[in-house]
Each structure stands twice: as structure tokens, then as C-alpha cells.
């Protein structure tokens, strides 16, 4: 398929052009950036439903030697999520980024980040994945520091040091894998790993890989950077970072490499570490979130908690667990992006992030208020919104796998989630409006559009998922998007057969 | 074998520096050490004693060439990795300078706007 490289080439080219347009009029820059992200979204939607695995050999070098781009069910799901959220984030940025001076530079970095994310999703080569991962990470370090205030710089530095160490862990494990097998192509690697017994060396490499990706995904012992970095970034970037960034760089890469390249069977009992990490992040993230008074910081801790859910479901290693993990991943991208954009809208209108200084905002900002309520209900798992169904599937999957303790934890954390989001609603949106906030206005139209689209998606996916009762395949969203992605994970190390003939 | 152990010790020194040091510049230097230990490890994978450049000359014996030539792939990869490390280091230094402008110090303990 000839369109696969466009996912990387288009944003990369756009980043270059946007960087040149520093002095151009803002409307031109907005238009260009939005056209590019809209084009990428259309491309991503156009590949939905492509059956099986499609590969593209870069420079016509065939697989074990050259770099291949791989498009399968899992990559399609991730591509749609990344490009959907990035499109809505750029629409939101039209008004929001007016506060900052260097709009062209902002979009240039944004495009670089999308290029990196799409590259990580599509590549079939270990080292290439590392390169794209670092491209996306470096762009995100810059974007976190974009405001150049004290806090942003401090958060960015912290994020950069921890994130780069994570990157080096991944690089070291890639070096070890290359030393053991003599190849970097993922399919070929998987073939060699399956044919020989590497014993403890492979386990050590996997541990390094898990540590590296856990740093990128902010799983709890490695989470210290996230609550600083995500709130400090401008709101559209927070939405991107929490919505898709940690999931692509952490969870997706982990899924791809551990199931398709190394293979769960090879890891044996060491695999249970995923369950433990998931449960710890879930609980710790939730408990830390409840004490926060900073709106965006609370959301950042909630991201840690929700990523814990995804890890836990993925760690079960059962087909239903994979399905639930991917479904929750998709849902969480949507509602967490919505909530971060909401917080951006509130910040835009009131110029504060402190929940104690807010109150009664629903009265003055009906769109933000209603969409925030939708987001709250979704993330806390209230029917009919999408979060309910994915959490239900996760809990069913845990019970089916015979680990009831984790199911109880998942339910309790879900209650905790409702509690801290009700706190947001109570302090920011409900009640009587404060006198200091009498003059605030609803945010401009482009910001409202993003919010409404995301809230509508929460509801539509939730309503569609009602048909789960008749079996998971009855729901359109699960059948078309999640099921092919799950097949890739269930297929495990048979991944190699789809790429190397 | 010793050389790999030394390489891992270098890695540990870099990691120690990042975790323990409180000065931004020292953290950046530690990151440099960490980065280069990984690069060094990568290069060592392709290293052969008395190796020759992996360029096949006319009339060279194929089996002997394979036995002697160093592995060129790690060298190519390390070039990329060095560039990435360079990018990160530059960004770190740039942000450290901005932080110095704001706080007038490189001490991490005195930059405490963020908490929790």
C-alpha cells in the first residue's frame, strides 16, 4: 500500500514548512496545520477495515534487511486514535494558542510529535521504533516547556531527564537484542527468539524493555514526571500527551514487542509483573488524585490510574483481557482528551487552575460544563457512556481469568475515580458562581467544536456498546476497530508469518 | 568480557549521577555519560580484534572477509543514536540556561514550584 509512508512523511514535511512560516499571518498557519491534521485523519479513516497485514518496504529493501512499515489491526486502531485526537487538538489550538506568541513554532513541534507517534505505530523495525520514539519525545519536551514560565521549564527538565533515561533503557535493550540475535527487524527477531533458547539473557532484556516503556507510560514506580509535565503543557498538548502519547510510547510498544516479538510464553511467570504494576498504578494514581486542588494535576494523576487499568487488563493475557484493554485505551484517549481540553477551556476563561477559586462555571460556560459532565460520567464508568462498557469488560475479563482480588481493586478504584471527578464538578462547575468570576464568557467556537465532538463520541460509542449484551461482536465499534487489533495480540508470535513469507 | 563490565559500570555511574546529583549541569553531564555508555556498548557489539573495514575489495577471499570484517550495522545505528543524544543534550542545556535566568541558581533543591 502506497499511502502508508504518508502518515510519517506528511506531518514531517508540514513541520518543516511551518517552522519556516514564523512571520506569517496566524490565520494562514492555523489553516495549514488544520488541513494537515484533517488530511491525516481522513487517511487514518480510509485504512479502517483493511483486512490482514499490509507491509511497505522502505526503499524497496525487503524485510529482514530493510525497514518495513507494518499496517495491521493494532496499528489501524492506534492511527485512528492519534490522528483523531491530534485533529481535535489542532482545532482547539486555533483560539487557545493565541495567548502564546510563537504559533508557527508550536504547530511545527506538534507536527513533529505526530510524525513520531505515527512512526512508532507503523514501524516494523526495533531501532527505527527507538528513533521515532525519541522524535516524539523530544518534541513533547519542547512542548511541555512551551510557556517558558518557571513551572513549565522545571517540569520539562524533570520530564526530559526521566524520559531520556527511559529511552536509553530501551536503546540498551535493543543493543542486547541485537547482540543476541543479530537482527533488528521485529518479525525476524521473533523468529530467532522462538527458534533458540536465550534463557536469562532474554528475561533481563525484557525487564529493561518493560522498565523503559513503563517510564514512557508513567506506570507507578516510574511516574514521577507525569504529574508535573502534563499539567504544565498547553491544554491541547496535555490532551495529546495524556490522550495518546503515553499510550503509544508506553502501552502500544509494550504490547507490540512483548506479545508479538518476544512472546508471552517465553516470559513465563515473569509476565505477572504486568498485573502487579497495573494494580499499583491504578490504586496509587487514584489515591494521589483525590487530594489535588490543581485541576490539571488531578487529571494527570487520573491518567496514571486509568493507564493502570489498561495494563492490568493487558497483563491478564486472555483474549477478553486484550479486548478490554484496547477498548479502554481507545475510550480513555477520547474522554481524557476531552477532560484536558475542558480544563484548558476553564483556564482560558478564568485564568486559574485552582479548583478552590472556581465555582458555578456551568452557568456562564454551558458547553464546557455539559461536556465536562459527560467526561466525568464516562471516566467514572456510568452507563450509557463508553467508560462504563470498557470497565465492565475489564472486570469481567479479570473474573474470567480467575483473579478476583484484582477485580475488587478495579471496582474500588472506579468508585474512587467517581469521587475525585465529582470533586471537580462540585468545585468548578456546580453551585453558585463566585463574584470574581461574574465576567467570564464561554470559550470561542473552535474550542467548543472540539469539546462537543469528543463528548458526542463518548456518548455514541457508549450507546453503540449497548449491543455488547448480545456478544462483543454485535457492537459496531468493537467489531470494526477493536476486534482486528485484538486478533493481532491473540495471534502472538505468529506475527512473523504475516511479514516474512 | 572485562570491557563489557567496564561499560556497564559506566552506565551505572551515569545513572547514579542523574539520581543523586542536585546540580543541573552535573545532571546533564551524568546524562552524557549514560548516553555514551550505551553507545559504547552498541559499538562493542560489532567490534572484532584486528578487524578490517567492511568494504569488500576486488579479489578478496569471501570467507576471510566475513571472518575479519567488523559489523557495520552498530556503527550506523550509533551515529543515529549520537545525534539523538546531541539533540536531547542541547535541549537540556537550553532549558538549564532558562532556569538559571529565572532562579539564579543551578541547584535543583531551590526550584520547588512543583510539588506532590
Amino acid at each position: 500500500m502506497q499511502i502508508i509512508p504518508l502518515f510519517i512523511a506528511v506531518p514531517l514535511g508540514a513541520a518543516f514548512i511551518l517552522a519556516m512560516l514564523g512571520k506569517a499571518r496566524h490565520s494562514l498557519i492555523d489553516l495549514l496545520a488544520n488541513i494537515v491534521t484533517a488530511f491525516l485523519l481522513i487517511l487514518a479513516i480510509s485504512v479502517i477495515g483493511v483486512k490482514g497485514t499490509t507491509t511497505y518496504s522502505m526503499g524497496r529493501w525487503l524485510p529482514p534487511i530493510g525497514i518495513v512499515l507494518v499496517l495491521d489491526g493494532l496499528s489501524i486502531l492506534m492511527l485512528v486514535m492519534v490522528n483523531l485526537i491530534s485533529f481535535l487538538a489542532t482545532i482547539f489550538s486555533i483560539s487557545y494558542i493565541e495567548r502564546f506568541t510563537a504559533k508557527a513554532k508550536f504547530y511545527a513541534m506538534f507536527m513533529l510529535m505526530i510524525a513520531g507517534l505515527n512512526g512508532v505505530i507503523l514501524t516494523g523495525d526495533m531501532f527505527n521504533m527507538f528513533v521515532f520514539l525519541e522524535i516524539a519525545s523530544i518534541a513533547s519536551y519542547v512542548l511541555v516547556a512551551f510557556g517558558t514560565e518557571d513551572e513549565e521549564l522545571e517540569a520539562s527538565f524533570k520530564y526530559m531527564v526521566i524520559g531520556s533515561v527511559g529511552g536509553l533503557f530501551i536503546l540498551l535493550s535493543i543493543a542486547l537484542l541485537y547482540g543476541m540475535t543479530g537482527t533488528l527487524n521485529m518479525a525476524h527477531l521473533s523468529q530467532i527468539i522462538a527458534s533458540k533458547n536465550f534463557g536469562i539473557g532474554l528475561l533481563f532484556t525484557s525487564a529493561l524493555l518493560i522498565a523503559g516503556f513503563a517510564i514512557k507510560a508513567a506506570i507507578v514506580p516510574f511516574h514521577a514526571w507525569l504529574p508535573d509535565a502534563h499539567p504544565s503543557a498547553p491544554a491541547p498538548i496535555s490532551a495529546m500527551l495524556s490522550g495518546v502519547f503515553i499510550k503509544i510510547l508506553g502501552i502500544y510498544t509494550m504490547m507490540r514487542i512483548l506479545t508479538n516479538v518476544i512472546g508471552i510464553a517465553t516470559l513465563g511467570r515473569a509476565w505477572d509483573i504486568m498485573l502487579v504494576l497495573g494494580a499499583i498504578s491504578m490504586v496509587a494514581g487514584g489515591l494521589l488524585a483525590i487530594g489535588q486542588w490543581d485541576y490539571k494535576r488531578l487529571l494527570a494523576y487520573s491518567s496514571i490510574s486509568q493507564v493502570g487499568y489498561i495494563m492490568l487488563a493487558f497483563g491478564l493475557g486472555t483474549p477478553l483481557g486484550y479486548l478490554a484493554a484496547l477498548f479502554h485505551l481507545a475510550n480513555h484517549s477520547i474522554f481524557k482528551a476531552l477532560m484536558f481540553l475542558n480544563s484548558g477551556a476553564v483556564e482560558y476563561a478564568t485564568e486559574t487552575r485552582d479548583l478552590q477559586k472556581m465555582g458555578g462555571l456551568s452557568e456562564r460556560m454551558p458547553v464546557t460544563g455539559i461536556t465536562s459532565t459527560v467526561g466525568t460520567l464516562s471516566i467514572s464508568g456510568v452507563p450509557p457512556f463508553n467508560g462504563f462498557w470498557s470497565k465492565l469488560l475489564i472486570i469481567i475479563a479479570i473474573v474470567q481469568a480467575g483473579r478476583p482480588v484484582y477485580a475488587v481493586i478495579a471496582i474500588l478504584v472506579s468508585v474512587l475515580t467517581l469521587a475525585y471527578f465529582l470533586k471537580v464538578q462540585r468545585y468548578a462547575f456546580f453551585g453558585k458562581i463566585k463574584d470574581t468570576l461574574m465576567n467570564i464568557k464561554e470559550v470561542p467556537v473552535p474550542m467548543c467544536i472540539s469539546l462537543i465532538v469528543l463528548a458526542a463520541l463518548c456518548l455514541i460509542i457508549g450507546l453503540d456498546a449497548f449491543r455488547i449484551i448480545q456478544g462483543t461482536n454485535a457492537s459496531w465499534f468493537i467489531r470494526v476497530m477493536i476486534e482486528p487489533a485484538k486478533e493481532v495480540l491473540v495471534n502472538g508470535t505468529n506475527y512473523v508469518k504475516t511479514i516474512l513469507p | 568480557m572485562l570491557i563489557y563490565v567496564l561499560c556497564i559500570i559506566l552506565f551505572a555511574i551515569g545513572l547514579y549521577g542523574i539520581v543523586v546529583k542536585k546540580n543541573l549541569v552535573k545532571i546533564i553531564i551524568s546524562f552524557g555519560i549514560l548516553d555514551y555508555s550505551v553507545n559504547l556498548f552498541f559499538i562493542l557489539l560489532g567490534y572484532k580484534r584486528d578487524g578490517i573495514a567492511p568494504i569488500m575489495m576486488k579479489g578478496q577471499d569471501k570467507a576471510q572477509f566475513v571472518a575479519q570484517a567488523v559489523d557495520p550495522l552498530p556503527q550506523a545505528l550509533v551515529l543515529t543514536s549520537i545525534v539523538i543524544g546531541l539533540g536531547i543534550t542541547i535541549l537540556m542545556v537550553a532549558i538549564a540556561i532558562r532556569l538559571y535566568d529565572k532562579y539564579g541558581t543551578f541547584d535543583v533543591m531551590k526550584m520547588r514550584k512543583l510539588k506532590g
Side-chain angles (χ1 to χ4, degrees), chain A residues 88-247:
Chain A
L88 293 170
T90 40
I91 289 186
F92 192 85
S93 308
I94 294 174
S95 315
Y96 187 83
I97 301 297
E98 284 298 329
R99 311 197 293 167
F100 299 99
T101 42
K103 209 169 186 181
K105 286 182 187 141
F106 170 83
Y107 280 127
M109 279 297 143
F110 193 94
M111 293 296 157
L112 208 54
M113 191 162 90
I114 299 174
L117 289 173
N118 284 346
V120 170
I121 294 166
L122 284 170
T123 185
D125 181 277
M126 284 292 268
F127 192 77
N128 200 226
M129 189 195 75
F130 168 74
V131 172
F132 281 126
L133 197 128
E134 288 296 324
I135 290 175
S137 301
I138 293 176
S140 76
Y141 306 148
V142 177
L143 286 169
V144 166
F146 201 76
T148 63
E149 292 299 321
D150 306 4
E151 292 117 47
E152 280 120 4
L153 292 169
E154 198 184 323
S156 171
F157 195 85
K158 197 170 171 186
Y159 174 30
M160 190 156 40
V161 170
I162 300 177
S164 326
V165 171
L168 287 177
F169 275 19
I170 296 167
L171 183 62
L172 184 61
S173 58
I174 290 172
L176 285 166
L177 278 176
Y178 180 72
M180 284 191 285
T181 62
T183 182
L184 287 167
N185 183 282
M186 285 188 198
H188 198 207
L189 257 176
S190 146
Q191 208 171 36
I192 296 175
I193 287 171
S195 65
K196 286 189 205 152
N197 185 14
F198 290 105
I200 194 82
L202 190 64
L203 273 184
F204 177 71
T205 313
S206 314
L208 267 181
L209 269 177
I210 292 177
F213 290 137
I215 289 176
K216 296 282 183 192
I219 303 297
V220 151
F222 310 104
H223 72 289
W225 57 271
L226 187 141
D228 293 338
H230 287 198
S232 301
I237 299 305
S238 310
M240 278 295 281
L241 288 179
S242 260
V244 289
F245 197 84
I246 52 174
K247 302 197 187 75

Side-chain angles (χ1 to χ4, degrees), chain A residues 360-476:
Chain A
L361 295 179
S362 279
E363 208 175 296
R364 292 289 159 136
M365 304 168 71
V367 176
T368 313
I370 291 168
T371 50
S372 170
T373 314
V374 171
T376 302
L377 294 176
S378 300
I379 200 169
S380 337
V382 176
F385 296 102
N386 55 2
F388 169 73
W389 298 104
S390 51
K391 284 195 178 174
L392 184 70
L393 279 178
I394 288 178
I395 290 163
I396 292 174
I398 298 172
V399 172
Q400 244 182 26
R403 297 177 186 273
V405 181
Y406 289 111
V408 174
I409 297 175
I411 294 167
L412 289 180
V413 173
S414 184
V415 176
L416 204 61
T417 313
L418 184 63
Y420 59 72
F421 277 112
L422 280 181
K423 174 175 152 184
V424 173
Q425 291 293 329
R426 154 82 181 73
Y427 280 94
F429 293 104
F430 298 157
K432 270 185 68 182
I433 192 153
K434 291 215 169 127
D435 297 336
T436 47
L437 299 172
M438 284 313 273
N439 297 322
I440 61 164
K441 287 200 287 283
E442 180 59 278
V443 290
V445 179
M447 290 164 87
C448 288
I449 292 173
S450 299
L451 296 176
I452 292 168
V453 170
L454 283 167
L457 278 173
C458 282
L459 186 61
I460 292 168
I461 294 175
L463 290 176
D464 173 57
F466 260 107
R467 283 183 279 178
I468 285 180
I469 300 162
Q470 303 160 8
T472 50
N473 264 339
S475 150
W476 180 86

